[in-house]
Amino acid sequence: MSNIERREFLKLIGAGSVGVGAGFALGEANKSPVEFLVPYPIPPEEFSPGIATLYNSVCTMCQAGCGITVRTREGRAKKIEGNPLHPVNQGRLCALGQAGLQALYNPDRITAPLLQIGDRGSDAFVETTWGEGIARLTNQLGQLDDRSGVVLLSEGVNGHLAGLFELLMTELGSDRLLHYDFEYPEALHAANERLFGEQQLPYYDLENSTYLLSFGADFLGNWLSPVHYGLGFGKSRQDGAQRGHYVQIEPRMSLSGAAADEWLPAAPGTEGILALGIARELVAKKYSGADKAAWARALESYTLDYVAAATDVAADTVNRLAHEFMAADAALAIGGGAASGSSNGVDALIAVNALNYLVGNIGKSGGVVFNPPRAFGATSKTQRAGYQQMAELADSAMAGEIDVLIINSTNPVFTLPPTARFEEAMGKIPLIVSLSSFMDETTALADVVLPSHTYLESWGDHTPDPGVAFPVAAISQPVVAPLYNTRSTGDIMLSIAQQLGFSSALPWKDMETYLQDRWRSLYAKGAAGAESFESFWQSVLQSGVWGENSKRDSGPARLVTGAINKIAVAPPEHAGASDEFPFVLHPYPLNSIRDGRGANLPWLQELPDPMTSIVYGSWVEINPVTATELGVADGDVVSVESPGGTLTAPIFIYQAIRPDVIAIPIGQGHSEYGRYAKDRGVNPLQILAPQEEPVTGAVALTGTRVKLVPTGRRVELVKTGGVSRELGRGIVQTTGGSHENADHSAKLKSIPITVEPA
Amino acid sequence: MSFLDRFNENWAALRKPGYYDKFDYAWTMTIDLDRCTGCEACVTACQAENNLPIVGEEEIAKGREMQWLRIERYWEGEYPDIKLRFIPMLCQQCDSAPCETACPVSATYHNQDGLNAQVYNRCIGTRACAVYCPYEVRYFNYYNHHWDTPLDQQLNPDVTVREKGVMEKCTFCIQRIRQGKDLAKDDGRRRVRDGEIQPACAQSCPAEAIVFGDRQDPDSHVAQSMASPRAYKVLEDLNTAPSIVYLKKVAADAG
Amino acid sequence: MQDNDRQLEFVDVNNDIVHSLVETGRTYYICLGIAIAVTLACFFFPWFYQLHYGIGAAGMNQPTVWGTYLASFIFWIGLSHSGTLLSCVLHITNSSWRKAMYRSAEAMTLFSLVVAAIMVMVHVGRPWFVHWAVPYPNQMELWPNFRSPLMFDVMAITTYLTGSTIFIYMGSIPDFAAVRDRTTGWRHHLYVLLSLGWRGTDREWHRLGWAYTFLAVLIIPLAVSVHSIVSWDFALSIVPSLHQTIFAPYFVVGAIYSGTAGIVTVMFMLRKYMNFGQYITTLHFDNLGKLLLLLSLIWTYINIIEVFTGWYSGTSTEIESLNYRMFGYYGWLYWEMIAFCAVAPLLMISKKFRTSFVPMLILSIAINIGMYTERFLIVGTSLSRQYLPDAWRTYTPSMIEISILIGSLAMFVTLFMLFVKIFPSVSIYEVKETMDLPDAAKESDGEATWQTTS
């Protein structure tokens, strides 16, 4: 050290300080932004730090209307749980309902009103203000002399919001108010109306039934109210004195098929014929009603042999089912899914309902219970749009009759088959306004986007559809402050009304006051035992549900006059010749993301499909024998060609599907809808050929034939499961007999080694 | 008291027969396979409650999903006489857990409620516990996981977000157990009531297949459920003494 | 430089070995440079990447949470086995042919252990906390889990590393002294320190001999126990096809087998590139060949037993696991292992083969490739086929894992290359023991290095 000279020393000092300076600058540049722990000496009223606040509300992820309890902490929603007080779900909740949080906190939400400045669909949206956005719509509406060309197309709304829509549309002078949902059970409604004359779906009492014939209805996966039927299923299985026996009839095993005791792969589209075969036996052996002769006449041609030949189910089996069905204490038949999606869908469901009538379970425990009128909701001014109505709307638009289209949170561009030409028709509409919270395929084609709140941020109410045999309603309340510059759909409607000067008809300042006003009338009916409206309102908000403790006395079951004579199920028709297109296409909604609405929720994308364990993506299910014949294996990409179009997807060899059927899940194949959904998989609805269901006019979901052409490419299917065979390891153990009490001898087979502690 | 004395005393206590009987609670879960429909509501419930990350398609393709509770599926038979059976598989909270002996740093241990606790702070990531676990329900954080803003606002403040290199698994929602016990204490009760504590999966199950409770209480729902003649434990011959009891699926004969 | 047929003199021994330390050619520097560069590029760079992003950089997945890192760990531990163990066994059995090769064999042990220890760091998820596995007093009274086989591992490897280090160092002290007296500059300073003031007195020789033999006896059971304990990492689990009583001897035999093959490789390299042709002769290759042949037969026997017990158990778990290993995704690797480790070594029945240098080199490398495959199969295929078939998955190593494997080889080479320039890689004094006493007329360098105690 001693030989360092002064000059060198200074140099070193200089270098050192430069180094220190650089280091300091680097350090400063790399510093994380300062965060403060904010103490709450005076916390906001709604929450105390560290303690969860629970809000009861209602789930609108699907139409079932389960009650939810949202757990919030420090003003943020943390978890959605079932509301134990709500009769639909009784504290339980499905995956889709729980994933509602990710709709709220979705990174791809639309955060402010948008204006399209480029061509439609060019994604050239610019942010705007609410005033400008609404003005764009109201100006257009104001310029119209005749407003009959204004369309309000909403998702199914089972609450007072529907009334608000109706008021607005009445003021506008347009009767084009449509509720469109892909999952709307149109055929079931039609069938109920035609046989029983019922406008509403009945309540199917699975809980108390001891024998269930399900014709294609995936009641545990996606049919009507899966959580409620899941509850009913569980109770029926183990809570009752007798274990419920389930038979599932469908060409491809669904989640419910897996839960069934017996799974019967009847030929696609022949479920109704099978039902009539059973009905014929029932009439012959058991039924003793006054109209027995009429039934016998109507069902004469459905002999066991005919049914066996048509349905590919052995005559013995049909006979056995019929006898089991008539012998059961509480027999119930339900229909949906594949049965309702064929070209004879409505007739098939009428046949299924006829079984209920013939076995005499109408209005009984464990049978079909007719629902009383719902507490509120859409009236006849609202049209429940199915495929046919949407196609008509598209035709009107093509003819230039539609001036303004307002779309509320429904995505017809994705869920309608191209045969409806909806997307093309949208091009002919001068102004399209979307109220969606997400940039879905339909919203992407809009001119103005007025983003609505998610259901966790807005006021609303809901009645379950179908009901639970007595009137139930629930209020949806905001559980968190709005995250973005969005507004609730009701508030947007009210703003539009104000701008157009409809204040006398729609005088409410916001959705909350509108709701209170409406609920006042419920209170006035004497429906609640509260002292004042305020306490009634508070108690409904607290419990999250309001119900009338009254059941409808449906009396003896009555049929629509002449219905018996009309009972017949024609053999199914399929678009495409069977020699060119050997397979019937069976599209089915995924249990998690349903018709695609959940595709933007990462939890659901990452939720393995229960049957296949595949995540993220689409696949083509095919019987192992067929796969061997075609020489394809798991992951081989095939081109699925139908008379209506072509798509490519990888093969998945599915053990429980008819050899003449291939199945593709619905829900993926989005071209928009956020980062988790976009450009993932295929949408089988896009290759449906125009095979009509004659009663509803809808395109039959399972009415298309396809062929498979291997492309020679291979991909690795992304799935979580390995080998789905037990290999004799006794992992899922079963016991014989029909009920646990009958099985006292079933002790454990394995002998565990017991180690005596020293 | 010297370290050695203490150690000897603790060691003796550990070796005494009936050690587990002295625990405050013996949390147990029964899963009725005759009720389970495989709908996977429990899987999402678990992900939401326990801050499980979204790992993305590529990671799942590599086999690194993060789901403490998974539904396994097993086909039986061939078309058309085919059945699909589901079984929810989650940490069995074994009383003689193989994983506990594996960890060199005791990051996984048996707590006073008979649970296999996992101490994320202590974990050094040898992954030996996952190798030793025959149920393969231990999940490793291969990366620091990321939540796209504002999805992170959903994160449950009662549960840690785990960092890379740490093993994790089902905890029987220990945060809810803690909270339940605290509430019982605040109420001046010595024990929690049956059904007061529900893990997220049991709470969500639409078919009510999952029952959770304290098996030491003979009146509890879970104790009665365990007494069913259908009760069995998965891989019981490995002698891991799991705390999850499955109830056999009833295979009804046709007719 | 030297003629192999020349009669060795004591002075030549000293000269040759000191030359090997002080005279360094360009080739050496180039090779060392490459080795260091490969170590940095293939080992440290990917490792740092992995430290930053997480173990996800490797290919491990849900059931197969252990992968090539652990396979490499066992491989390096195995490679470490032969050196010191062989040296000890041969020392106490007075096998004089050991003397020319034992130093480098022991060095191999040492560096393999070092690489193995680093592989542990690469393997664990949070290496920055790996010291928690060491029992040290702390105010939290947190101790490691003494029931854990991994804990046993930490203890066993630490002990073995310590023992091996002392053993190689102790045996080198007289040689350090010899070199000290022949070198200048920084080397002289270094060897002054390393030789601990060795003067070569009778007392010193006596003490050294006694201590050396004592350590040799001590290390033999230690070496056997180390690999037994490593095998318990697997055998104490209940993974089908790992939970086997034969695992401890299987691992020990496998370790000695691969270690001996490693020695053959190193011998060849030293002979060829360090000009030790005079010291490492066909005798060594012949004897090592015989040993390898014996080990290969034992190893084959244990493999047959393993397959037999799996098959005989009749349980789906064992059979599926075996089936996957032998005929599954990595089935070709299994048969590659059998070809390299069970079939090819049978060539060594022929003495001509054993005494041919290049074929022995190729065979020794093949055996180690086969033995690496064995470790990979143990880790990579067993965990993929456990009790619940729905959780089965295939594991494929990532590029980073392969790179780190190559890098770890380079690290070993680097360490070894540094060693040969610092340590006399052939024992000067013990080689002299095997030679005839020098001609009285010929003066030695005045050192008493020919003195012997044994």
Side-chain angles (χ1 to χ4, degrees), chain A residues 230-349:
Chain A
L231 266 167
F233 167 83
K235 288 188 201 297
S236 151
R237 269 284 151 93
Q238 289 296 335
D239 281 358
Q242 195 186 346
R243 180 176 181 271
H245 189 91
Y246 288 2
V247 181
Q248 181 86 5
I249 299 136
E250 58 191 359
R252 174 236 173 223
M253 187 187 275
S254 65
L255 195 67
S256 310
D261 297 297
E262 201 177 344
W263 173 72
L264 288 176
T270 63
E271 290 88 351
I273 299 175
L274 182 63
L276 291 186
I278 295 171
R280 187 175 187 274
E281 284 298 301
L282 205 55
V283 171
K285 304 278 166 56
K286 188 183 179 209
Y287 186 66
S288 57
D291 46 2
K292 180 169 176 164
W295 280 106
R297 216 170 28 249
L299 301 173
E300 198 175 356
S301 59
Y302 294 91
T303 62
L304 287 181
D305 292 338
Y306 167 73
V307 171
T311 62
D312 197 16
V313 176
D316 287 352
T317 312
V318 181
N319 192 26
R320 179 171 54 78
L321 289 181
H323 282 90
E324 284 171 8
F325 190 68
M326 63 181 98
D329 294 340
L332 176 64
I334 57 175
S340 64
S342 359
S343 63
N344 55 16
V346 175
D347 288 338
L349 296 182

Side-chain angles (χ1 to χ4, degrees), chain C residues 326-342:
Chain C
M326 293 168 76
F327 307 109
Y329 187 74
Y330 287 118
W332 60 279
L333 276 180
Y334 183 85
W335 298 108
E336 174 264 311
M337 169 186 88
I338 294 292
F340 283 2
C341 295

Side-chain angles (χ1 to χ4, degrees), chain B residues 6 62-65 74 100-104 106 120-121 123-127 131-132 136 138 142-143 163-164, chain C residues 51-53 55-56 58 60-62 65-66 123 125-126 132 141 144-145 148-149 233 239 386 390-391 393:
Chain B
R6 264 202 310 277
K62 284 182 187 164
R64 296 171 183 166
E65 73 273 8
Y74 294 104
E100 287 172 15
T101 61
C103 182
S106 289
Y120 305 126
N121 281 349
C123 179
I124 60 172
T126 65
R127 313 192 279 293
V131 170
Y132 280 39
E136 288 158 55
R138 289 178 153 270
Y142 286 96
Y143 292 109
E163 79 159 349
K164 67 181 174 198
Chain C
L51 281 175
H52 187 257
Y53 288 100
I55 292 282
M60 272 86 80
N61 60 22
Q62 191 38 42
V65 289
W66 284 351
H123 168 77
R126 301 206 295 175
W132 286 347
E141 291 201 8
N145 179 8
S148 164
D233 285 354
V239 177
Q386 296 185 44
D390 202 53
R393 266 218 190 88

Side-chain angles (χ1 to χ4, degrees), chain A residues 239 608 610 676 680 731 753, chain B residues 35 40 57 73 148 232 239:
Chain A
D239 281 358
Y676 301 108
R680 211 182 270 297
I731 296 159
I753 311 152
Chain B
R35 282 173 178 259
E40 299 192 334
E57 187 175 5
R73 60 204 58 72
D148 290 339
Y232 80 102
N239 206 24

Side-chain angles (χ1 to χ4, degrees), chain A residues 110 112-116 120 125 130 133-134 136-137 151-154 404-412 426 431-453 487 489 492-493 496:
Chain A
I110 301 170
L114 302 176
L115 284 181
Q116 175 69 270
R120 271 197 193 152
F125 285 109
W130 275 98
I134 289 179
R136 177 81 193 277
L137 172 63
V151 181
L152 176 52
L153 179 63
S154 170
V404 176
L405 173 63
I406 305 170
I407 298 175
N408 174 36
S409 306
T410 185
N411 191 3
M426 279 176 80
L431 180 68
I432 300 172
V433 179
S434 173
L435 310 184
S436 176
S437 312
F438 299 98
M439 189 54 74
D440 54 31
E441 285 80 358
T442 312
T443 306
L445 296 175
D447 304 302
V448 184
V449 184
L450 303 175
S452 58
H453 285 336
R487 290 186 187 177
T489 312
I492 299 171
M493 291 297 134
I496 293 170

Side-chain angles (χ1 to χ4, degrees), chain A residues 61-362:
Chain A
M61 298 298 283
C62 81
Q63 291 298 304
C66 296
I68 53 173
T69 302
V70 187
R71 192 169 80 210
T72 64
R73 276 279 297 270
E74 286 88 35
R76 284 172 184 175
K78 296 300 178 188
K79 186 152 191 311
I80 303 182
E81 286 153 8
N83 179 359
L85 299 172
H86 201 287
V88 169
N89 57 326
Q90 297 165 38
R92 312 285 159 169
L93 203 61
C94 70
L96 179 66
Q98 300 190 58
L101 274 183
Q102 295 195 322
L104 172 66
Y105 291 127
N106 199 294
D108 299 314
R109 273 183 65 178
I110 301 170
T111 55
L114 302 176
L115 284 181
Q116 175 69 270
I117 52 166
D119 295 335
R120 271 197 193 152
S122 65
D123 208 19
F125 285 109
V126 290
E127 286 196 9
T128 181
T129 61
W130 275 98
E132 269 183 52
I134 289 179
R136 177 81 193 277
L137 172 63
T138 49
N139 290 345
Q140 186 92 359
L141 290 173
Q143 283 166 13
L144 292 172
D145 300 330
D146 172 20
R147 290 181 186 141
S148 63
V150 178
V151 181
L152 176 52
L153 179 63
S154 170
E155 62 173 340
V157 174
N158 288 344
H160 279 118
L161 183 59
L164 202 59
F165 288 158
E166 284 170 8
L167 279 175
L168 182 68
M169 292 304 279
T170 312
E171 286 300 306
L172 282 171
S174 164
D175 56 1
R176 295 184 195 264
L177 170 59
L178 293 104
H179 282 188
Y180 169 74
D181 268 308
F182 174 77
E183 289 194 332
Y184 177 65
E186 195 184 3
L188 196 58
H189 273 274
N192 267 296
E193 198 169 345
R194 275 168 180 71
L195 189 66
F196 296 126
E198 281 288 318
Q199 296 288 329
Q200 290 196 69
L201 292 184
Y203 173 62
Y204 296 102
D205 189 4
L206 255 66
E207 179 178 337
N208 297 308
S209 76
T210 58
Y211 193 88
L212 177 75
L213 279 180
S214 166
F215 293 87
D218 186 6
F219 58 96
L220 298 172
N222 48 50
W223 187 68
L224 301 184
S225 189
V227 178
H228 187 75
Y229 294 133
L231 266 167
F233 167 83
K235 288 188 201 297
S236 151
R237 269 284 151 93
Q238 289 296 335
D239 281 358
Q242 195 186 346
R243 180 176 181 271
H245 189 91
Y246 288 2
V247 181
Q248 181 86 5
I249 299 136
E250 58 191 359
R252 174 236 173 223
M253 187 187 275
S254 65
L255 195 67
S256 310
D261 297 297
E262 201 177 344
W263 173 72
L264 288 176
T270 63
E271 290 88 351
I273 299 175
L274 182 63
L276 291 186
I278 295 171
R280 187 175 187 274
E281 284 298 301
L282 205 55
V283 171
K285 304 278 166 56
K286 188 183 179 209
Y287 186 66
S288 57
D291 46 2
K292 180 169 176 164
W295 280 106
R297 216 170 28 249
L299 301 173
E300 198 175 356
S301 59
Y302 294 91
T303 62
L304 287 181
D305 292 338
Y306 167 73
V307 171
T311 62
D312 197 16
V313 176
D316 287 352
T317 312
V318 181
N319 192 26
R320 179 171 54 78
L321 289 181
H323 282 90
E324 284 171 8
F325 190 68
M326 63 181 98
D329 294 340
L332 176 64
I334 57 175
S340 64
S342 359
S343 63
N344 55 16
V346 175
D347 288 338
L349 296 182
I350 291 176
V352 172
N353 271 338
L355 280 179
N356 288 321
Y357 175 80
L358 290 171
V359 84
N361 69 14
I362 308 292

Side-chain angles (χ1 to χ4, degrees), chain B residues 15-29:
Chain B
R15 302 317 299 164
K16 253 209 268 191
Y19 170 65
Y20 292 130
D21 301 343
K22 283 196 305 188
F23 284 173
D24 300 346
Y25 297 92
W27 299 115
T28 303
M29 183 180 278

Side-chain angles (χ1 to χ4, degrees), chain C residues 1-255:
Chain C
M1 155 167 60
Q2 282 152 335
D3 181 9
N4 278 359
D5 297 330
R6 174 187 55 122
Q7 179 64 42
L8 266 181
E9 305 284 343
F10 275 20
V11 67
D12 299 328
V13 177
N14 279 32
N15 284 338
D16 288 353
I17 288 162
V18 172
H19 276 155
S20 79
L21 293 177
V22 297
E23 285 176 18
T24 312
R26 260 183 68 195
T27 330
Y28 173 85
Y29 283 118
I30 290 168
C31 289
L32 184 67
I34 291 171
I36 291 174
V38 173
T39 310
L40 289 176
C42 292
F43 188 91
F44 285 101
F45 177 70
W47 185 26
F48 290 150
Y49 176 87
Q50 178 182 293
L51 281 175
H52 187 257
Y53 288 100
I55 292 282
M60 272 86 80
N61 60 22
Q62 191 38 42
T64 322
V65 289
W66 284 351
T68 54
Y69 296 152
L70 208 67
S72 305
F73 164 73
I74 315 167
F75 175 78
W76 287 113
I77 291 274
L79 207 58
S80 79
H81 254 60
S82 233
T84 305
L85 183 64
L86 214 62
S87 166
C88 293
V89 172
L90 297 179
H91 177 71
I92 60 174
T93 54
N94 256 330
S95 311
S96 54
W97 62 274
R98 141 190 190 273
K99 293 178 176 172
M101 48 149 247
Y102 81 90
R103 178 76 42 76
S104 48
E106 285 170 16
M108 211 173 91
T109 294
L110 199 60
F111 300 135
S112 306
L113 274 175
V114 169
V115 176
I118 296 177
M119 285 317 294
V120 172
M121 307 287 275
V122 178
H123 168 77
V124 298
R126 301 206 295 175
W128 46 96
F129 290 134
V130 86
H131 58 280
W132 286 347
V134 180
Y136 58 92
N138 57 82
Q139 74 267 43
M140 307 292 285
E141 291 201 8
L142 272 172
W143 294 93
N145 179 8
F146 292 97
R147 297 183 298 170
S148 164
L150 279 78
M151 183 67 232
F152 310 165
D153 246 14
V154 173
M155 302 287 197
I157 291 167
T158 322
T159 317
Y160 189 49
L161 186 62
T162 318
S164 305
T165 315
I166 294 173
F167 192 64
I168 189 174
Y169 180 65
M170 201 166 5
S172 310
I173 289 173
D175 287 355
F176 286 138
V179 181
R180 170 192 65 196
D181 301 341
R182 295 280 302 264
T183 49
T184 52
W186 65 269
R187 281 200 179 80
H188 181 73
H189 291 292
L190 177 72
Y191 293 117
V192 164
L193 283 174
L194 287 175
S195 58
L196 298 177
W198 176 271
R199 285 173 299 152
T201 63
D202 279 357
R203 248 166 74 117
E204 281 172 351
W205 279 113
H206 182 75
R207 292 244 166 102
L208 176 74
W210 186 85
Y212 197 64
T213 311
F214 173 79
L215 262 180
V217 174
L218 197 70
I219 281 173
I220 292 168
L222 192 63
V224 173
S225 76
V226 168
H227 226 65
S228 300
I229 285 169
V230 170
S231 85
W232 294 342
D233 285 354
F234 299 94
L236 293 189
S237 76
I238 46 179
V239 177
S241 87
L242 294 186
H243 184 51
Q244 295 193 359
T245 45
I246 201 149
F247 250 49
Y250 182 29
F251 269 52
V252 172
V253 168

